[in-house]
Amino acid sequence: MASPLPAVHDTPDPDFAELLARRPHLKAHVLDGLVMDDVPLVQIAQRVGTPTWVYSAATLRRRYGALRDALAEAGLRASIHFAAKANDSLAVLRVIAAEGAGADVVSEGELRAARAAGIPAGRIVFSGVGKTEREIALALEEGILQINAESAEEVERISAVASAMGRVAPVSLRINPDVDARTHAKISTGLAENKFGIAYTDAAALYARMASLPGIRPIGLAVHIGSQITEGMAGYRAAYARVAELAQALMGRGLPVERLDCGGGLGIPYRDELPPSPAALAGAIKATLGPLGLPVMLEPGRWIAGPAGVLLSSVVLQKRGQNRRFVVLDAAMNDLVRPAMYDAWHGILPLAPDLLHAPLSPADVVGPVCESGDTFTRGRALPDLPPGALVAFLDAGAYGATMSSTYNARPLAAEVLVDGHRWAVTRPRQTHEALLANQLVPDWLGATA
């Protein structure tokens, strides 16, 4: 894997105090060091070990509530369906489900996780470009709210599966509005060159075709233009305007349109970004789709879960290079792949109270994986971090654990949920024995020594 290029920023990195000021669930205690809600993170690291993912239930509730309230204050009939791909922890899903959220899923595994976490089938949306016949059948057996179809071929497949089962599938057509969300190329989904959705010019004809097929009940339109959108509302407004235009045309032809799926993608401030607020998104929806008078749906993931999580890690050693200081951690790109994959920036805070106020110098923070790309950051201002020092990667609650792997035969990290003063392990650390347990050696290769 090629080494990622360092991100170029026009402003200095935020300091520790600035990072904490924007994250109300984290605070620096004079004795306990870095604390999440009412739990010192060093306590978790000492008892559970590292690397470990830690999530704040209070933050999940607070951010879900902020989005829900913004939609209500805009006068929208709206439902929120958490994007399970961002974080499929059963504990996280259970917290959000208790607040009234549904789920947006893109696989059988995510559908089963949502149901296991207590999310009613009637609040689940199944998205994605490659649903198998098995997944479509499961969705129909469960009686989910809707399937978002992303191609003419998939529409035909849904019709065939539903007809064979004697069911009628509620299907929304996901359109590709060819709108630039001005986000990272790997998480842009609304351009014509992306694999997602139906070309806008083909959508009306396909919707009419869908209405004539057996086993399908067309219920509306869906759109999602990308993830980590921080460049204002222009992209959203352009996409929603196209949806509104198409919905009006369909209803003008006597075709049923029951609701509109607005997708997700609202960004969060990893570094010093100033992403649009939930109120701004609600305003964009109201201005473009509100006149239609239809219920709307949102599918946020990162905005709810991202700030709620941290990844705890221990320093293995500091390596002094010819011109650089390397801080080698026990967490690696197999745990948190976003820096290697997207050149993503994550705040890094030491847990110890004295290190939060110690002198700083540039350091490259790396993991132990045998890849140059296993680099979290370069030239970050950090204190001297001796072996055993503990650090937290901020804003790791979305696309962290769900994207992790066992590369280099490294077991999956543990997961913990903090709720006020209480905390519990919600996924034990994978053991090396479990890592090997499902592998088989053909008998013709002989017995091992």
Side-chain angles (χ1 to χ4, degrees):
M1 178 181 293
S3 177
L5 295 174
V8 177
H9 301 292
D10 295 330
T11 58
D13 287 338
D15 61 26
F16 292 168
E18 290 168 330
L19 290 171
L20 286 169
R22 299 180 70 172
R23 292 158 179 84
H25 59 299
L26 297 174
K27 56 183 178 289
H29 190 276
V30 67
L31 296 177
D32 294 326
L34 193 62
V35 174
M36 175 181 280
D37 296 331
D38 298 322
V39 177
L41 288 172
V42 66
Q43 182 183 111
I44 295 173
Q46 289 174 344
R47 294 189 189 178
V48 182
T50 56
T52 293
W53 306 95
V54 186
Y55 310 117
S56 162
T59 302
L60 293 168
R61 296 185 186 108
R62 175 171 52 81
R63 294 185 69 84
Y64 175 85
L67 181 56
R68 177 196 57 212
D69 293 349
L71 295 167
E73 289 167 9
L76 296 167
R77 288 186 292 157
S79 58
I80 299 173
H81 306 263
F82 177 71
K85 61 181 175 288
N87 191 317
D88 60 10
S89 160
L90 294 185
V92 167
L93 293 175
R94 179 69 64 88
V95 169
I96 299 171
E99 297 300 300
D104 169 53
V105 305
V106 295
S107 70
E108 176 179 346
E110 288 184 0
L111 174 54
R112 291 186 181 278
R115 297 292 288 123
I119 297 177
R123 295 182 189 166
I124 296 177
V125 180
F126 202 136
S127 304
V129 301
K131 307 175 197 70
T132 65
E133 291 183 0
R134 173 189 169 100
E135 288 174 323
I136 294 168
L138 177 63
L140 295 175
E141 288 169 359
E142 289 287 326
I144 70 168
L145 177 64
Q146 73 184 48
I147 299 173
N148 287 347
E150 303 218 14
S151 66
E153 294 81 1
E154 185 173 64
V155 166
E156 299 290 340
R157 171 174 282 185
I158 295 170
S159 174
V161 172
S163 296
M165 295 175 63
R167 302 288 183 93
V168 176
V171 179
S172 181
L173 201 61
R174 177 174 174 178
I175 66 167
N176 186 319
D178 196 19
V179 167
D180 187 358
R182 298 182 63 81
T183 188
H184 194 287
K186 291 183 179 179
I187 50 177
S188 173
T189 62
L191 290 169
E193 64 196 51
N194 300 138
K195 68 180 180 180
F196 300 95
I198 313 294
Y200 186 82
T201 53
D202 298 335
L206 181 56
Y207 199 90
R209 165 70 177 158
M210 197 163 68
S212 70
L213 287 172
I216 286 186
R217 177 170 66 91
I219 49 104
L221 301 171
V223 67
H224 177 65
I225 59 173
S227 184
Q228 185 53 11
I229 297 171
T230 59
E231 296 289 326
M233 287 290 107
Y236 281 122
R237 285 178 175 271
Y240 296 157
R242 302 209 83 185
V243 170
E245 180 183 35
L246 180 58
Q248 287 177 318
L250 294 173
M251 290 187 290
R253 295 171 57 178
L255 294 168
V257 179
E258 298 177 19
R259 54 182 175 262
L260 301 172
D261 187 337
C262 300
L266 195 62
I268 63 172
Y270 285 100
R271 186 176 177 272
D272 55 3
E273 304 92 336
L274 294 173
S277 66
L281 178 59
I285 295 171
K286 182 176 182 179
T288 52
L289 301 176
L292 298 176
L294 296 171
V296 297
M297 307 159 61
L298 273 82
E299 296 161 356
R302 184 194 315 269
W303 197 88
I304 292 175
V310 299
L311 173 62
L312 304 183
S313 182
S314 300
V315 175
V316 177
L317 55 85
Q318 287 191 105
K319 175 182 175 180
R320 300 286 177 175
Q322 191 171 34
N323 299 305
R324 313 184 75 82
R325 172 170 67 115
F326 295 94
V327 176
V328 185
L329 303 179
D330 63 355
M333 63 184 291
N334 72 292
D335 301 300
L336 181 62
V337 74
R338 295 189 70 255
M341 182 175 287
Y342 305 126
D343 301 331
W345 195 99
H346 282 268
I348 303 173
L349 292 179
L351 269 56
D354 57 323
L355 293 180
L356 284 167
H357 303 283
L360 308 178
S361 63
D364 293 1
V365 182
V366 302
V369 158
C370 195
E371 297 272 357
S372 294
D374 187 21
T375 299
F376 294 112
T377 188
R378 291 189 174 94
R380 185 73 62 87
L382 292 169
D384 183 60
L385 294 168
L390 297 165
V391 298
F393 287 88
L394 306 185
D395 307 310
Y399 306 104
T402 54
M403 296 182 75
S404 60
S405 74
T406 58
Y407 185 45
N408 278 194
R410 291 170 49 83
L412 296 174
E415 292 186 68
V416 166
L417 182 73
V418 169
D419 198 350
H421 67 278
R422 300 173 298 180
W423 65 273
V425 174
T426 56
R427 185 178 71 175
R429 187 176 313 284
Q430 187 180 33
T431 65
H432 285 94
E433 291 76 15
L435 192 63
L436 299 174
N438 293 325
Q439 297 192 47
L440 302 174
V441 177
D443 55 11
W444 68 79
L445 295 178
T448 57

